[in-house]
Amino acid sequence: MQWRARRRRVSARLGEKETPVQSEGATHILVVDDDLEIRKLLGRYLAAQGFRVTTAGDGREMEEKLATQRIDFVVLDLMLPDASGLDLCRALRNRSKIPVILLTALKEDVDRIIGLEIGADDYLGKPFNPRELVARIRAVLRRTGAAEPEPVAATAFRFARFRAEPELRRVTDAEGVEVALTGAEFDLLMAFLERPGRILSREQLLDITRGREAGPFDRSVDVLVSRLRRKLGDQGAFQILKTLRNGGYQLAVRVDREDAS
């Protein structure tokens, strides 16, 4: 879905106060754009992808958020009412290595080239597909080594009536009978167990389990989820793995960790 079509369906009120979207323990992204609707839409979308999001409407607010919060990533519009995005990017790069993606509606290549030369990690022209922005953010995080820290390793996870052992790559039911999972199915299950309660999109799941981004017609994750549901006896009920429309999938049961300590 293209940015303009998606944006037209946003019913933001221009006088409405924004509230930062929080997802504790995730990469903290600061979105800087003078368009309230874009900030709110990106805030919701990035939060649904598992990021923690704070927004700013101009350069002054951006500097205030950077000074008072720990920011891991900046998505910065070039055209702001009180400052140039290029100047803000240059100033940020002079004092920090925080990754930056520039958003620009300008067609001139020179502005994009200057942005990269002064230290931006990537740029994206408006209008854009939010999925492409997420893909570029993840690519920059991998490239810069600033990706989200892996969760502390657990010796086992208990969920529903099952027990999963990561090191043995084994899942057993309440009677101790092993559930036969393929390697891909087990990796998918671990993606959910290590992120209980989080909504995970197809793109996230493919990136976590395969280390690559999903193509527009890639439905391999859907096939794996269907197979995993069947083997966990969840077919038709979806009490363990829930499907969220336009959101992805969510592990909907309690997860208890058994840590080495």
Side-chain angles (χ1 to χ4, degrees):
M1 181 182 301
Q2 290 302 313
W3 178 261
R4 283 175 178 163
R6 181 81 179 266
R7 182 181 167 185
R8 281 197 293 268
R9 296 211 297 265
V10 176
S11 57
R13 295 186 296 273
L14 292 179
E16 184 177 347
K17 184 179 179 181
E18 292 176 272
T19 54
V21 184
Q22 305 294 332
S23 179
E24 294 301 327
T27 296
H28 191 177
I29 297 178
L30 175 60
V31 176
V32 186
D33 197 296
D34 64 334
D35 190 310
L36 176 61
E37 292 185 3
I38 289 178
R39 295 199 303 273
K40 294 180 73 173
L41 178 56
L42 276 182
R44 295 191 191 102
Y45 191 85
L46 291 173
Q49 306 306 308
F51 296 105
R52 183 182 176 194
V53 186
T54 295
T55 61
D58 54 34
R60 178 197 58 77
E61 194 175 359
M62 168 185 164
E63 294 295 348
E64 177 184 306
K65 298 293 174 64
L66 287 168
T68 58
Q69 302 183 45
R70 176 180 174 180
I71 302 297
D72 303 310
F73 203 107
V74 176
V75 176
L76 175 61
D77 187 24
L78 277 183
M79 304 295 291
L80 295 172
D82 64 342
S84 161
L86 291 175
D87 291 339
L88 291 170
C89 180
R90 182 184 294 107
L92 177 61
R93 185 54 68 239
N94 286 338
R95 67 178 189 267
S96 171
K97 294 183 179 180
I98 296 175
V100 178
I101 286 182
L102 297 177
L103 301 181
T104 173
L106 300 176
K107 295 182 179 180
E108 290 79 4
D109 288 339
V110 64
D111 295 286
R112 301 179 182 184
I113 294 171
I114 291 174
L116 294 175
E117 288 180 342
I118 65 176
D121 296 274
D122 203 348
Y123 67 85
L124 192 57
K126 293 181 178 179
F128 59 88
N129 188 320
R131 289 187 178 183
E132 182 178 359
L133 175 61
V134 170
R136 288 175 180 265
I137 289 173
R138 292 201 180 107
V140 171
L141 288 173
R142 287 194 297 269
R143 191 167 67 241
T144 61
E148 298 179 47
E150 293 295 322
V152 177
T155 59
F157 295 90
R158 291 188 181 275
F159 66 103
R161 60 183 184 280
F162 300 98
R163 184 172 187 267
E165 300 170 86
E167 288 192 9
L168 297 178
R169 296 183 65 80
R170 180 177 67 182
V171 176
T172 52
D173 62 18
E175 286 73 42
V177 178
E178 185 169 352
V179 180
L181 299 181
T182 66
E185 291 164 357
F186 187 85
D187 290 340
L188 179 67
L189 176 60
M190 288 304 302
F192 286 112
L193 292 176
E194 291 174 344
R195 301 160 182 83
R198 274 179 52 177
I199 300 171
L200 300 175
S201 67
R202 293 179 179 87
E203 290 76 18
Q204 281 181 292
L205 290 168
L206 191 59
D207 187 50
I208 293 168
T209 59
R210 304 286 182 85
R212 63 182 176 86
E213 300 296 336
F217 304 108
D218 195 326
R219 289 294 178 266
S220 59
V221 168
D222 302 285
V223 174
L224 283 176
V225 168
S226 178
R227 283 164 34 186
L228 187 57
R229 278 173 168 158
R230 184 174 65 253
K231 293 184 179 182
L232 296 178
D234 199 30
Q235 192 173 18
F238 304 159
Q239 296 302 307
I240 298 177
L241 290 174
K242 285 187 175 181
T243 301
L244 292 97
R245 186 176 182 181
N246 297 326
Y249 298 101
Q250 179 185 41
L251 185 69
V253 295
R254 174 176 172 176
V255 176
D256 293 314
R257 297 169 58 97
E258 297 178 13
D259 296 324
S261 57

